[in-house]
Amino acid sequence: DGGITQSPKYLFRKEGQNVTLSCEQNLNHDAMYWYRQDPGQGLRLIYYSQIVNDFQKGDIAEGYSVSREKKESFPLTVTSAQKNPTAFYLCASSSPRDSFQETQYFGPGTRLLVL
Amino acid sequence: GQQLNQSPQSMFIQEGEDVSMNCTSSSIFNTWLWYKQDPGEGPVLLIALYKAGELTSNGRLTAQFGITRKDSFLNISASIPSDVGIYFCAGLAATFEYNNAGNMLTFGGGTRLMVKP
């Protein structure tokens, strides 16, 4: 089945530790995105990538890093510089950038908790 | 980034009632999307709108792309308990200057729907 997978479902981070969240898609989408969602809030864009080996900062990139070495994969690292990392993290992908029928599809999310 | 104004923020209705929610923006949009998010899950796309004035249905859900291209509406008819969740609108701006990073969506703050059996 085509879709977006995120792992793990739950992740625990110790103080000062970097953790990496996985996002994989087999939809052949060029663009991928990472969002952060806090309780009762909407989605805020962390990073996005429109093509392999290229990515851009979103609205709240501080304390996060990404890579895009393969079209299918867009891992997010939450670094120790992110002082308030507890949140629900959502990965999304979308159809080619020159399409006017833009649609983003989301993965199931990863909940990050700080110990 | 710019947020869409989505209202109401929450609704508590009786099973069987119809529901209506909307999103508005000061910018013109080319695309409007409506998502539903269940607790602890990712948003699922319900309806996509690509043309001003477009009215699209998906079962008991109907959404419209406002004629001014600055708003969109989602209606749910005859609500049932499984309609409970958070509904998000999202829009793709029309101007390159606003959307100069490519196909970047702007999201509303969500409408939390609660249905009483």
Side-chain angles (χ1 to χ4, degrees):
Chain A
D1 288 347
I4 303 174
T5 57
Q6 291 185 242
S7 62
K9 183 73 172 176
Y10 297 94
L11 186 59
F12 297 92
R13 193 192 93 163
K14 295 180 181 178
E15 292 288 341
Q17 186 182 41
N18 292 354
V19 292
T20 298
L21 285 61
S22 170
C23 178
E24 304 277 332
Q25 56 97 2
N26 61 5
L27 300 168
N28 199 34
H29 285 170
D30 288 312
M32 298 186 73
Y33 311 82
W34 274 105
Y35 294 91
R36 169 179 172 144
Q37 186 177 34
D38 292 287
Q41 302 296 314
L43 280 65
R44 292 187 291 169
L45 183 65
I46 305 172
Y47 266 99
Y48 63 95
S49 169
Q50 295 187 314
I51 197 169
V52 174
N53 292 323
D54 184 65
F55 49 83
Q56 303 294 331
K57 293 181 179 180
D59 298 323
I60 55 166
E62 185 175 353
Y64 300 97
S65 65
V66 294
S67 63
R68 186 83 187 277
E69 298 177 0
K70 297 187 300 181
K71 187 176 185 178
E72 301 80 18
S73 178
F74 191 40
L76 173 74
T77 297
V78 184
T79 74
S80 57
Q82 173 50 245
K83 298 306 179 187
N84 183 24
T86 297
F88 192 49
Y89 290 87
L90 288 161
C91 178
S93 69
S94 68
S95 50
R97 62 181 296 179
D98 59 353
S99 167
F100 286 101
Q101 296 198 347
E102 169 69 13
T103 307
Q104 282 189 22
Y105 297 92
F106 285 86
T110 292
R111 186 166 299 281
L112 177 61
L113 299 167
V114 177
L115 297 177
Chain B
Q2 179 176 335
Q3 286 280 324
L4 295 174
N5 297 314
Q6 185 171 350
S7 64
Q9 289 187 336
S10 63
M11 302 180 71
F12 189 30
I13 63 170
Q14 191 76 35
E15 181 178 1
E17 290 183 353
D18 296 342
V19 173
S20 183
M21 60 191 79
N22 70 85
C23 276
T24 61
S25 171
S26 57
S27 302
I28 293 174
F29 284 82
N30 276 337
T31 298
W32 285 97
L33 306 173
W34 284 93
Y35 294 88
K36 183 194 176 195
Q37 184 178 28
D38 291 325
E41 301 294 331
V44 174
L45 183 67
L46 299 174
I47 293 178
L49 303 161
Y50 301 112
K51 186 177 179 180
E54 181 179 358
L55 186 71
T56 298
S57 294
N58 178 8
R60 294 178 294 105
L61 277 63
T62 301
Q64 184 162 24
F65 192 139
I67 197 69
T68 65
R69 297 171 67 191
K70 294 183 177 181
D71 56 11
S72 180
F73 304 86
L74 176 69
N75 295 315
I76 305 173
S77 63
S79 59
I80 60 178
S82 63
D83 289 334
V84 166
I86 302 176
Y87 292 80
F88 288 101
C89 63
L92 179 64
T95 61
F96 181 79
E97 287 72 24
Y98 176 73
N99 192 25
N100 60 3
N103 294 337
M104 302 306 302
L105 290 178
T106 301
F107 286 86
T111 295
R112 182 179 298 274
L113 178 63
M114 294 160 280
V115 179
K116 183 179 181 181

